[in-house]
Amino acid sequence: MKNLPNKAKYTTLGIVGIIALLVIWSFIEPRILNIENETATIPNLPNSWSGQQIAQLTDFQIGLWGDNRGTARRSIAKIVEAKPAIALISGDFLYHPGSNIESEIETTIDIIRPLVDAGIPTYAVLGNHDYGMSSRKAQPSTEQAEKLEIALEKAGIQVLENETVKLELPNSNEPLYLVGVGSLWASRDNVKQSLNTIDNNSPRIVMMHNPDTFEQFPANSAPLAVAGHTHGGQVRIPGFPQWSWLRFTQKDKVYADGWAKGFGTSGNQLYVNPGIGMSIAPIRLFCPPELTFFTLEG
């Protein structure tokens, strides 16, 4: 009984030490890039596209204090090294565009430019933060988003909003289609419009920012869909991705890290990338940044 006060003291010190280590690690983990390799099946995929790689990045959040631009640059370098058929960036390039938007856009373009210089076709959609929306109730800043879109297009990045583009490999006329949907929070999403230029049997990849858009797709219209937005929860309990910081502070439906099982209509598959950047604070805990490569198969 005499040792009880000492035991309590050591227990308290141990708990404080563990918390301190977790806090320190949460600032280190964003600098550790996780590379995921996935296989994706697309019906009616042309033979020339079978075995081709598609790279996906999302959520740079440039402009957040202590943002993760170093990891963003490393992820771009990894894509250039891998030389995939195309690269996809699914929104939230900026954190909260404001008075420093020109500088933040310049940094963003500087990070992405190596993809264009390497001749890798690169496509993007915009996210809620690109419209200055940190919540769904915020008023979208269309003017700021347009500045970003113009700069991206000028740099050679094609920005899609509710439209479909034809993808073709060199020395092949067998097309694969890319469907890009606008920002859900900014009320710029129109799934019906994005699909109206391709027939039902056309092989396609779908890109959106917010995974909640995915449930709007009719059955068998999005065999491979990619999204971002959730940061994988950003701070979470190991082994329980559904128990995360963002899970309890946002009202979005999807908080998947990877394949969102049981969501959407039949014949559709959604992959949610945890992204590179962060919201509110520049920390990640048990949720490292991710670059995803998809190998296509028919």
Side-chain angles (χ1 to χ4, degrees):
M1 295 294 292
K2 291 181 180 180
N3 291 331
L4 188 58
N6 284 336
K7 287 182 178 180
K9 179 176 71 175
Y10 292 137
T11 299
T12 301
L13 288 173
I15 293 172
V16 170
I18 290 171
I19 293 173
L21 287 173
L22 289 175
V23 170
I24 293 170
W25 179 252
S26 71
F27 285 93
I28 295 173
E29 188 173 293
R31 278 69 194 171
I32 300 174
L33 179 64
N34 180 38
I35 299 177
E36 288 289 333
N37 292 283
E38 301 288 340
T39 300
T41 302
I42 299 179
N44 303 318
L45 184 72
N47 289 333
S48 60
W49 281 94
S50 183
Q52 295 289 338
Q53 275 195 325
I54 306 299
Q56 184 210 3
L57 286 172
T58 188
D59 296 82
F60 291 166
Q61 307 283 21
I62 300 299
L64 173 71
W65 64 280
D67 59 27
N68 207 12
R69 60 188 69 184
T71 305
R73 291 184 191 279
R74 290 198 305 277
S75 66
I76 294 295
K78 290 291 185 182
I79 296 176
V80 171
E81 181 183 339
K83 298 179 181 177
I86 63 170
L88 306 177
I89 306 177
S90 46
D92 276 6
F93 293 88
L94 308 180
Y95 179 61
H96 195 77
S99 58
N100 284 332
I101 186 171
E102 284 78 13
S103 173
E104 292 164 359
I105 289 176
E106 185 178 341
T107 297
T108 301
I109 298 302
D110 185 58
I111 289 171
I112 301 170
R113 196 181 303 280
L115 293 176
V116 179
D117 292 343
I120 299 171
T122 304
Y123 302 86
V125 293
L126 298 186
N128 54 286
H129 279 277
D130 298 321
Y131 286 87
M133 301 179 70
S134 56
S135 74
R136 195 161 186 167
K137 295 180 180 180
Q139 187 70 22
S141 176
T142 304
E143 181 182 351
Q144 303 285 56
E146 286 178 352
K147 287 181 180 179
L148 173 61
E149 181 175 350
I150 290 169
L152 289 169
E153 292 273 0
K154 187 177 179 180
I157 311 297
Q158 188 168 350
V159 181
L160 305 178
E161 183 176 282
N162 307 320
E163 57 190 303
T164 298
V165 294
K166 182 189 292 186
L167 308 173
E168 289 184 335
L169 295 168
N171 305 315
S172 172
N173 60 359
E174 296 180 313
L176 172 65
Y177 295 89
L178 174 62
V179 179
V181 185
S183 171
L184 175 68
W185 282 14
S187 299
R188 308 282 290 206
D189 61 319
N190 188 326
V191 169
K192 184 177 180 180
Q193 178 182 321
S194 71
L195 293 172
N196 67 10
T197 59
I198 54 174
D199 62 53
N200 293 335
N201 295 320
S202 297
R204 85 285 303 269
I205 299 170
V206 174
M207 175 169 55
M208 65 202 77
H209 175 67
N210 193 315
D212 286 355
T213 300
F214 180 69
E215 65 180 351
Q216 300 178 37
F217 279 84
N220 303 307
S221 65
L224 170 59
V226 298
H229 179 67
T230 70
H231 305 178
Q234 195 165 314
V235 174
R236 63 191 188 192
I237 297 174
F240 296 92
Q242 69 274 23
W243 292 2
S244 68
W245 171 25
L246 291 183
R247 174 67 179 87
F248 297 109
T249 59
Q250 301 287 342
K251 295 182 179 180
D252 299 291
K253 296 179 180 178
V254 181
Y255 298 90
D257 170 1
W259 297 105
K261 300 184 185 302
F263 183 63
T265 53
S266 63
N268 296 340
Q269 289 192 96
L270 172 66
Y271 190 93
V272 184
N273 186 313
I276 299 295
M278 299 147 285
S279 290
I280 304 176
I283 59 174
R284 281 179 174 262
L285 190 60
F286 306 118
C287 186
E290 182 177 313
L291 160 61
T292 313
F293 289 103
F294 299 93
T295 299
L296 305 184
E297 65 177 21

